[in-house]
Amino acid sequence: MTAPAPHPTELTVHHTSVTDPLARPLLTELTHEYSTRYRKPVDLDREYPPEEFGPPGGAFLLLLAGGEPVAGGAYRRYDAATAELKRIWTHSAHRRRGLARRVLDVLEQDAARRGYTRLCLTTGPRQPEAKALYLAAGYRPLFDLTADPESIGPLPFEKDLPGGHHLET
């Protein structure tokens, strides 16, 4: 029997690095998810150097419940004003509980504290749940919402952070 989901206030934010052994479930599940949905090999460990998700320009965090990772995400410096969100993940046993939204909130607050005024991200065209999450969280789609996502490729989004302003791209 699966243990009941932790109440969100029982979660702790753990700032760490991609190389932390606690990050392995995140990277393993994301690799499986992307490989399955897009039917091609994915190597997240080689996609971006781990240091891109560390200070001073980036961050990598996990939400822990009872010391175990249940969700996580990261950002890296995109430009002087913009952080790019990456690796947004919720453990397969803990989905549909608002944890991805909580990760977004923590990443947004952290990026704003570091002086970023804008966030950007892309999600794959075969990830409708991610697209819905970003729209619900106030991210602006930089693509035609009525178009077939497969005809677009990666779906880009942006969001201004408090105190920031929209920068034309």
Side-chain angles (χ1 to χ4, degrees):
M1 179 175 205
T2 305
H7 187 275
T9 58
E10 296 173 8
L11 297 172
T12 57
V13 176
H14 178 61
H15 287 267
T16 187
S17 72
V18 175
T19 59
D20 183 333
L22 281 174
R24 186 52 36 202
L26 178 152
L27 299 173
T28 299
E29 281 199 352
L30 283 178
T31 298
H32 175 75
E33 186 81 18
Y34 296 155
S35 298
T36 302
R37 286 190 193 214
Y38 297 101
R39 297 181 183 97
K40 63 181 183 179
V42 175
D43 188 347
L44 296 178
D45 291 331
R46 294 182 188 205
E47 187 180 30
Y48 298 102
E51 59 271 11
E52 288 192 22
F53 299 112
F60 183 86
L61 65 89
L62 297 168
L63 294 184
L64 304 179
E68 295 297 318
V70 295
Y75 66 83
R76 66 190 194 118
R77 184 181 190 276
Y78 185 80
D79 63 34
T82 309
E84 179 183 22
L85 298 184
K86 304 295 282 180
R87 310 282 188 268
I88 308 299
W89 164 82
T90 301
H91 190 287
S92 57
H94 297 275
R95 294 195 175 143
R96 304 195 55 79
R97 297 178 181 158
L99 296 174
R101 182 63 181 259
R102 177 102 182 251
V103 168
L104 282 179
D105 291 344
V106 173
L107 290 171
E108 289 172 8
Q109 292 165 13
D110 193 77
R113 276 193 300 275
R114 294 219 185 145
Y116 289 111
T117 57
R118 181 177 169 265
L119 295 172
C120 68
L121 65 90
T122 59
T123 193
R126 296 181 187 169
Q127 295 173 259
E129 66 284 357
K131 175 183 163 186
L133 168 68
Y134 301 132
L135 290 171
Y139 285 77
R140 283 183 300 280
L142 301 175
F143 59 93
D144 181 354
L145 286 170
T146 64
D148 174 8
E150 292 284 338
S151 72
I152 298 169
L155 308 177
F157 291 85
E158 70 177 0
K159 184 176 185 177
D160 296 327
L161 292 171
H165 60 282
H166 178 67
L167 301 173
E168 294 298 322
T169 55

